[in-house]
Amino acid sequence: MPEIIIDMPANFKYVPGVRVLVARVSQAFGFNDQEACQIETIVDELCNNAIEHGSREESQMVRINCKIENEDLEIVVIDSGTRKSFDLEKTIAGKLKLMEQEEQEGRVGERRGRGLVIVKKMSDHLSVDLSDQKTAIRVRKRKAGSL
Amino acid sequence: MEQALKMNLKELPGQEKIKIVEIEGAIDSTTVIEFDKKMNEIMSAIHQPGIAMIMDFSKLNYINSTGLTKLMGCYTGMIRRSGVLKIANSAKNIQEILNVVGAAKLIKIYATMDEALKP
Amino acid sequence: MSEMQIVIPADFCFMPGVRACISRICAGLGFDDHEAYQIETVVDEICNNAVEHGSKTSQDIVVIGCSVSAGRIDFHITDSGNKEFRANEVFENNKRRIEQGWDLEEMNQRGRGLFIIQRMIDGMTIEKAGQGVKVSLYKIHHEEPAEMKYVFPDIKL
């Protein structure tokens, strides 16, 4: 199974390059245009999160690991943030609820934090692994038409 | 190859209530500050009610959550000025992300510039 | 200066992605369209060489290092080797071409890759790295094209 590994200094200037790299590679392995756009968004949001909340200094690195297995693309973004706990489901549920509330009231918050909601909606699986010095966010994206 | 972000304010002769902002490239974490600064400049020059700001997205190829946050800021800014924010010509992928974050329910989105220009 | 590193399997199908990646990074650095195109072409040529000559099995990889600083971009492209003899041949030919110039006959057949590269960047070095070859190059963002500098270390195989 083909694998690409990207080690990126924690600086936003590398992110546009990294996200198109993964999107184009996914196209080469049969993901359609819409899926490739979603993959570009997923990689972008996860990298930005990693820089904002994890590896805050440029000397720290963010690792992006992409594996293609049959119909699936697995993307793992690892930062060197030392979060004590991270309840992904709860965080996303909370954010979704806020967004829906705002929508109903016809107003918008200018708050940040829609990134993970977008990733959740565009992917088939989303999970987090916390270890000593690292936070790894794992996403799986399945090709359209596959079971 | 596209430039990171290019913005251009267009005014139509005899239509002082309409401001068109053409946006080219990407609104992402590397360009969002520039986007925000330019939009603030454009919006702070609006001193009368009833202005329709139309963002032309035909050359916008990417927007992320950071960019959407600022876009929502523009929406709020136009409401505060008793105006309206419209989006025209957005590509499929942009349309999808506007839907995902619920922006499409608030901001008026038009398939073509002609439709957006109608009062 | 910290460096971004991309590890890809030695397969051409990854090259469109690598090109798009480099093109975006250059755009963000203020290189103009033409300069960014030149960088993209050069990196593409070298990576293609690495894939074509530097790999034999599906386990082989190409490592692309990229670092950026004000107005300058550096690349280090390393293949995983298996071409000891060929490397020597390529080095000798390249060295001769640069020292003695290219004859048109030769240019029409082979090595156009290197001829293109030579005009598009500001500096390049080629060295052995384990079993493979490491090509380092840089380009500076400037108004006038600068003269090309080459460094060929002594290679003993």
Side-chain angles (χ1 to χ4, degrees), chain A residues 1 4 22 32 36 40 44 52 55 63-64 66 68 71 78 82-83 92 105-106 113 119 126 131-133 136 141 146:
Chain A
M1 56 203 76
I4 52 177
V22 181
N32 67 31
E40 179 170 353
D44 186 40
E52 272 171 45
S55 311
R63 167 164 284 199
I64 301 100
C66 302
I68 295 137
E71 301 303 306
I78 305 158
T82 50
R83 299 173 183 84
I92 291 173
E105 293 166 10
V119 172
L126 172 63
S131 66
D132 283 356
Q133 299 291 320
K141 179 84 184 156
S146 49

Side-chain angles (χ1 to χ4, degrees), chain B residues 4-63:
Chain B
L5 176 70
K6 226 163 140 182
M7 291 168 73
N8 179 33
L9 176 65
K10 219 166 92 181
E11 275 157 346
L12 302 174
Q15 302 237 45
E16 64 278 359
K17 294 258 174 188
I18 291 173
K19 292 190 186 299
I20 297 173
V21 186
E22 295 170 330
I23 302 172
E24 189 177 339
I27 309 172
D28 65 9
S29 302
T30 64
T31 59
V32 71
I33 293 168
E34 196 186 336
F35 172 76
D36 196 36
K37 198 179 131 212
K38 291 235 172 88
M39 286 314 301
N40 279 332
E41 275 170 25
I42 293 168
M43 286 200 295
S44 57
I46 295 174
H47 299 297
Q48 49 167 327
I51 300 284
M53 160 112 59
I54 308 172
M55 289 188 182
D56 184 351
F57 276 6
S58 52
K59 290 177 183 165
L60 181 72
N61 56 46
Y62 189 80
I63 187 166

Side-chain angles (χ1 to χ4, degrees), chain A residues 51-75:
Chain A
I51 295 172
E52 272 171 45
H53 306 296
S55 311
R56 287 154 187 262
E57 282 164 36
E58 193 176 341
S59 57
Q60 293 183 303
M61 304 295 279
V62 176
R63 167 164 284 199
I64 301 100
N65 202 326
C66 302
K67 254 189 230 161
I68 295 137
E69 292 175 60
N70 303 323
E71 301 303 306
D72 277 9
L73 170 69
E74 185 190 67
I75 304 162

Side-chain angles (χ1 to χ4, degrees), chain A residues 19 38 44-45 48 103 108, chain B residues 28-29 62 64-65 96 106:
Chain A
R19 68 172 190 246
Q38 292 171 338
D44 186 40
E45 298 293 349
N48 291 337
E103 243 171 57
V108 274
Chain B
D28 65 9
S29 302
Y62 189 80
N64 72 3
S65 68
E96 182 182 12
L106 299 170

Side-chain angles (χ1 to χ4, degrees), chain A residues 29-129:
Chain A
F29 284 87
F31 284 85
N32 67 31
D33 289 355
Q34 189 193 6
E35 289 161 340
C37 286
Q38 292 171 338
I39 288 163
E40 179 170 353
T41 296
I42 291 167
V43 173
D44 186 40
E45 298 293 349
L46 294 182
C47 287
N48 291 337
N49 264 354
I51 295 172
E52 272 171 45
H53 306 296
S55 311
R56 287 154 187 262
E57 282 164 36
E58 193 176 341
S59 57
Q60 293 183 303
M61 304 295 279
V62 176
R63 167 164 284 199
I64 301 100
N65 202 326
C66 302
K67 254 189 230 161
I68 295 137
E69 292 175 60
N70 303 323
E71 301 303 306
D72 277 9
L73 170 69
E74 185 190 67
I75 304 162
V76 186
V77 176
I78 305 158
D79 65 48
S80 39
T82 50
R83 299 173 183 84
K84 292 238 163 50
S85 68
F86 190 3
D87 189 338
L88 199 66
E89 292 299 322
K90 210 172 147 191
T91 307
I92 291 173
K95 280 176 178 161
L96 260 174
K97 206 174 155 196
L98 246 167
M99 276 167 61
E100 278 162 15
Q101 205 179 327
E102 283 171 353
E103 243 171 57
Q104 277 170 6
E105 293 166 10
R107 65 184 175 87
V108 274
E110 286 174 38
R111 245 170 345 86
R112 313 282 303 271
R114 292 182 181 84
L116 277 176
V117 175
I118 295 170
V119 172
K120 173 85 180 164
K121 288 197 179 183
M122 289 185 170
S123 61
D124 295 296
H125 167 87
L126 172 63
S127 63
V128 62
D129 294 326

Side-chain angles (χ1 to χ4, degrees), chain B residues 65-77:
Chain B
S65 68
T66 321
L68 285 164
T69 302
K70 295 299 177 192
L71 184 68
M72 296 301 214
C74 296
Y75 166 81
T76 316

Side-chain angles (χ1 to χ4, degrees), chain B residues 1-4 26 28 30 61-62, chain C residues 23-24 26-28 31-33 36:
Chain B
M1 193 210 61
E2 67 275 18
Q3 230 181 314
D28 65 9
T30 64
N61 56 46
Y62 189 80
Chain C
S23 167
R24 286 294 169 91
C26 291
F31 284 96
D32 64 37
D33 279 8

